[in-house]
Amino acid sequence: MPDPRTDGAAVTAARGLAPRPFRVAVPPVSGVLRPRLLLVCAALVAVTFVVFCWNVAVGDYPITLTGVMKALAGVGDPGTLLVVRELRLPRALVGLLAGVAFGVSGAVFQTVTRNPLASPDMIGLTQGAGTAVVASIVLGWDGGLGPQTLALLGTLLTAVLVYTLAWRGGTTGYRVILVGIGVSWICTSVTDFLVARGGKFQAQAALGWLVGNLNGRDIDEAVPLALALVVLLPVTLALTRHLRTLQLGDDVATGLGVAVQPARLALLLAAVGLVAFGVAAAGPVAFVALAAPQIAQRLAGTAMPPPVTAGVTGALVVLGADLATRTIVPGAEVPVGIVTGVLGAPVLLWLLIRANRAGSGG
Amino acid sequence: MERGDTPVTAGRRARPVVLVALTGAVLAALCLASLALGARAIPLDQVVQALTGHVPGPGGQAAENVVWSVRVPRTVLGVAAGVALGLSGALMQALTRNPLADPGVLGVTAGASFAIVLSITVLGVGSLFGYIWFGFAGALAASVFVYMLGRLGRSGLTPVKLALAGVAVTALLSSLTGAIVLTDPEPLNRYRYWSAGSLASQDAGVVWRILPFLAAGTVLAMACAPALNSLSLGEDVATALGRRLGLVRLQGVTAVMLLTGGAVAVIGPIVFIGLVVPHVARVLATRAGIGPDHRWLLPLAALISPCLLLAADITGRLVARPSEIQAGVLMAFIGGPFFIAMVRRRKLAEV
């Protein structure tokens, strides 16, 4: 049976392998259970946990993996406990949480706009954050807000700008993307100007922030992000029931009784909030919000990116990339965003080729 | 499209000439302004004296020096790069029949930038004349790649697909550029000035040596004009009219490569000028009753574009005296809203 929601070869291939989803109805709860999705999600969580611990284990004072797990449980010698809790855990947590935020946010963006290329870094949100932070670094004045709050404000302002400009008696996915491209060019050129205007060290600091970085991340970055996730994740996941309807197209969704514009706005707001806090904590880590949902979708064999799995994949990508920078080039402190950028860009191209082949690229 | 047997009245033929002459006059005025204005304003009569002979009186020598060693190269560069970017924008919009085409949006600029950064850091190429070849190669590779990407699929080349392909390639290349620049702090300094897009700080020698390439690109572009007119009727019609589309595209891409690669190498990646200018040219041509004839649209674009670039450059020099705002930044401020306005139009009409 052809399903109108499926798009192209990957799904067709996946359908052969996947255990069929089935509907469970135990009144008063009913829902579709997808065994493969659950299996993939559980496996990803397990792998992410190991990579997380490995992240904590690597450093000038090496700790074994079991040592890390013990320390996380509160067992071990005081020295190890101190290193783990005070120094390494916050950094790894920032990576984990930011990855979750990017992944979930990307999944929502891609489903709402019905385009795999719509991610926060393609439509200017992270560039807006970059402009705000670089402005404060170069001008040497942040109004007492600090880079985190500035990145947050920059992202939210850009989102409002893109949405307002794309609004014309409603919005369509493509208009949001193209308007976002225009806005992101403006932000990028302002950032370039500021970087050129600043001193050599300011320029380096600014470019270092712009690429997305976990170096020196601390509990001060982890706590606001964790709080934001506690509030935004349940909201987003509660709203995702509209996602399945929205992806059928505006007309069908309206016919099914969904208030399309409010639902879309609420989902986008939640997704923007997630990415804003993620960028505020870890900087604009390139391509995670774009690639993670796509990887998750392919692993789970679903027709659209599954938000929870995408979140876990995002965490795995960020932590894995951070681990790679520190184990492959020890001491070089390469920003994590360089690894995700260089690895993510081919994913982006491949997506574009696939989208075009399937005729859904535009 | 050839006019064929239609009798052409003197009045109709004069219109495009008048329009081109008017645009040329504006450009000439802007050139004079570019020579006269700056951190230190020089009176127009002294500018003319410096150009024709020498400036009498105390301080004359200094004024002469400023004009010849700073302002003349800068103005020549502004005109040359402006012509190049405007022409390649008009050419790309006509070739792809895409109103959103622009060397910056479609990744050509990013290709040239990446190749140049690569040549500076990996191969240690030090002189501008050394890395201009990399600029050409990068521009060519990126434009062909983006075009192929955009063409994939059932629906063929649509404006949105092409723009997305361009942005994707730009994202890829700029993240690679960032990776190189950040791990090697020395080229960072040169790169950050260059990447903001500016007409400043280019020595005169470089400017003169880039001109032959841009001139060759301009000639090639102009030679495309009749074929572009056929192409604007659709690929099938163009083929039926006897145009060899492969050859036209090859010629067009070569011209874009020479023009964009050369301009980017000297002034850095300036986006949006190639997007805005062809639209302005079309509006002017329509108002003047010429219609979308590329034999007039291309020269018009070639004249309007340096006007815009020089105006941006002069404005940037004046508003932030004694420092300056790069022309590329100002262009993005003009071009970005223009791009958004285009996107907001109800239908993205094909060119």
Side-chain angles (χ1 to χ4, degrees), chain B residues 5-341:
Chain B
D5 303 328
T6 323
V8 178
T9 63
R12 280 184 69 185
R13 178 165 284 171
R15 272 180 182 168
V17 179
V18 170
L19 187 57
V20 167
L22 273 178
T23 325
V26 173
L27 180 56
L30 279 167
C31 284
L32 273 183
S34 168
L35 291 173
L37 300 171
R40 171 172 179 243
I42 300 171
L44 264 184
D45 57 323
Q46 285 195 14
V47 170
V48 176
Q49 282 169 343
L51 289 178
T52 50
H54 77 121
V55 186
Q61 190 58 42
E64 238 175 87
N65 282 345
V66 171
V67 168
W68 274 109
S69 62
V70 182
R71 305 252 171 100
V72 167
R74 187 171 184 156
T75 307
V76 171
L77 185 60
V79 173
V83 169
L85 291 172
L87 264 183
S88 58
L91 209 55
M92 288 178 80
Q93 292 188 5
L95 279 174
T96 60
R97 303 179 67 209
N98 180 347
L100 297 180
D102 165 85
V105 176
L106 293 197
V108 185
T109 311
S113 308
F114 174 66
I116 288 170
V117 169
L118 203 64
S119 78
I120 295 175
T121 52
V122 177
L123 302 175
V125 177
S127 73
L128 185 131
F129 208 67
Y131 57 68
I132 184 169
W133 300 104
F134 291 89
F136 290 147
L140 177 68
S143 42
V144 171
F145 190 48
V146 168
Y147 187 77
M148 301 300 253
L149 270 182
R151 261 179 77 90
L152 284 174
R154 281 196 294 269
S155 46
L157 201 68
T158 67
V160 174
K161 269 164 70 176
L162 201 64
L164 281 177
V167 173
V169 171
T170 304
L172 187 159
L173 292 173
S174 54
S175 89
L176 289 175
T177 307
I180 294 174
V181 169
L182 268 178
T183 45
D184 198 352
E186 204 26 62
L188 171 69
N189 254 350
R190 259 189 294 169
Y191 170 78
R192 66 195 177 102
Y193 286 113
W194 172 78
S195 73
S198 170
L199 301 180
S201 67
Q202 289 297 347
D203 65 287
V206 158
V207 176
W208 302 118
R209 286 167 80 176
I210 196 81
L211 284 181
F213 296 99
L214 299 184
T218 306
V219 171
L220 262 180
M222 294 294 186
C224 281
L228 293 180
N229 282 343
S230 314
L231 193 62
S232 68
L233 301 172
E235 297 197 353
D236 297 340
V237 179
T239 315
L241 285 172
R243 298 289 179 196
R244 293 167 64 187
L245 287 185
L247 208 64
V248 174
R249 292 214 174 94
L250 180 70
Q251 194 182 353
V253 166
T254 313
V256 167
M257 174 197 89
L258 284 170
L259 294 168
T260 310
V264 169
V266 269
I267 62 171
I270 291 191
V271 289
F272 282 133
I273 188 163
L275 176 86
V276 175
V277 165
H279 289 283
V280 177
R282 271 193 290 275
V283 169
L284 282 183
T286 315
R287 288 278 155 80
I290 305 168
D293 182 347
H294 284 92
R295 288 171 304 173
W296 290 108
L297 281 181
L298 290 185
L300 262 181
L303 285 173
I304 294 169
S305 173
C307 288
L308 211 56
L309 189 55
L310 280 183
D313 184 48
I314 296 169
T315 314
R317 271 187 255 169
L318 293 184
V319 292
R321 268 193 294 188
S323 167
E324 49 185 69
I325 298 176
Q326 287 90 341
V329 175
L330 283 169
M331 277 312 305
F333 265 112
I334 306 166
F338 189 88
F339 180 85
I340 291 167

Side-chain angles (χ1 to χ4, degrees), chain A residues 165 167-168 178 181-182 185 189-190 192-193 195-198 200 203-204 207 338 341 345 349 352-353 356 358 361-362, chain B residues 104 149 152-154 158 161 165 167 172 175 179 185 188-189 192-193 195 271-272 323-324 326 329 332 339 343-344 346:
Chain A
L165 286 174
W167 181 274
R168 240 193 103 143
L178 288 173
I181 290 174
W185 280 112
S189 77
V190 174
D192 279 349
F193 165 67
V195 169
R197 172 62 68 83
K200 192 173 176 178
Q204 205 143 14
L207 284 178
I338 285 193
L349 280 184
L352 189 70
I353 291 169
N356 281 357
Chain B
L149 270 182
L152 284 174
R154 281 196 294 269
T158 67
K161 269 164 70 176
V167 173
L172 187 159
S175 89
L188 171 69
N189 254 350
R192 66 195 177 102
Y193 286 113
S195 73
V271 289
F272 282 133
S323 167
E324 49 185 69
Q326 287 90 341
V329 175
F339 180 85
V343 170
R344 279 175 59 85
R346 201 157 287 282

Side-chain angles (χ1 to χ4, degrees), chain A:
Chain A
M1 260 309 270
D3 182 338
R5 278 171 290 173
T6 57
D7 66 327
V11 177
T12 320
R15 200 182 294 134
L17 304 170
R20 293 189 66 82
F22 50 89
R23 180 160 279 279
V24 191
V26 186
V29 185
S30 84
V32 177
L33 208 62
R34 296 175 191 277
R36 176 166 164 191
L37 182 61
L38 289 178
L39 212 69
V40 166
C41 202
L44 280 171
V45 169
V47 177
T48 308
F49 180 69
V50 172
V51 175
F52 179 80
C53 292
W54 195 354
N55 237 292
V56 178
V58 172
D60 289 336
Y61 173 73
I63 308 170
T64 58
L65 265 185
T66 45
V68 171
M69 289 185 201
K70 273 187 194 157
L72 289 179
V75 192
D77 64 285
T80 312
L81 276 179
L82 180 80
V83 169
V84 169
R85 283 191 181 157
E86 299 296 320
L87 302 176
R88 303 214 185 136
L89 201 55
R91 176 194 169 125
L93 267 179
V94 169
L96 177 85
L97 298 176
V100 170
F102 289 141
V104 175
S105 165
V108 172
F109 266 101
Q110 293 178 358
T111 315
V112 169
T113 56
R114 295 202 288 159
N115 192 315
L117 293 168
S119 85
D121 15 32
M122 294 285 278
I123 63 164
L125 301 191
T126 50
Q127 285 86 344
T131 307
V133 172
V134 171
S136 86
I137 292 177
V138 171
L139 304 176
W141 183 81
D142 63 2
L145 293 174
Q148 272 191 280
T149 319
L150 285 172
L152 199 62
L153 290 177
T155 316
L156 295 176
L157 268 178
T158 320
V160 171
L161 189 68
V162 171
Y163 198 80
T164 320
L165 286 174
W167 181 274
R168 240 193 103 143
T171 56
T172 65
Y174 282 126
R175 210 181 306 130
V176 172
I177 297 173
L178 288 173
V179 166
I181 290 174
V183 170
S184 88
W185 280 112
I186 300 176
C187 291
T188 309
S189 77
V190 174
T191 308
D192 279 349
F193 165 67
L194 290 167
V195 169
R197 172 62 68 83
K200 192 173 176 178
F201 294 108
Q202 289 171 330
Q204 205 143 14
L207 284 178
W209 189 89
L210 280 173
V211 82
N213 210 333
L214 291 183
N215 300 343
R217 290 297 183 258
D218 206 347
I219 198 76
D220 295 338
E221 278 92 19
V223 169
L225 179 56
L227 288 178
L229 284 182
V230 166
V231 175
L232 287 173
L233 268 187
V235 173
T236 315
L237 295 179
L239 284 167
T240 48
R241 68 196 171 86
H242 290 307
L243 275 181
R244 284 188 290 278
T245 328
L246 279 178
Q247 79 195 34
L248 295 172
D250 287 5
D251 295 341
V252 178
T254 311
L256 289 174
V258 173
V260 171
Q261 295 295 347
R264 181 150 51 210
L265 183 63
L267 270 166
L268 285 179
L269 271 180
V272 166
L274 283 174
V275 81
F277 278 97
V279 171
V285 184
F287 291 126
V288 176
L290 180 102
Q294 293 295 318
I295 296 169
Q297 179 184 341
R298 270 162 195 78
L299 288 177
T302 49
M304 280 285 158
V308 177
T309 319
V312 183
T313 313
L316 182 57
V317 169
V318 173
L319 289 173
D322 185 45
L323 189 62
T325 64
R326 286 187 294 150
T327 45
I328 296 170
V329 207
E333 293 290 304
V334 180
V336 63
I338 285 193
V339 178
T340 60
V342 171
L343 293 180
V347 176
L348 173 64
L349 280 184
W350 176 73
L351 279 177
L352 189 70
I353 291 169
R354 242 202 91 259
N356 281 357
R357 283 232 179 91
S360 58

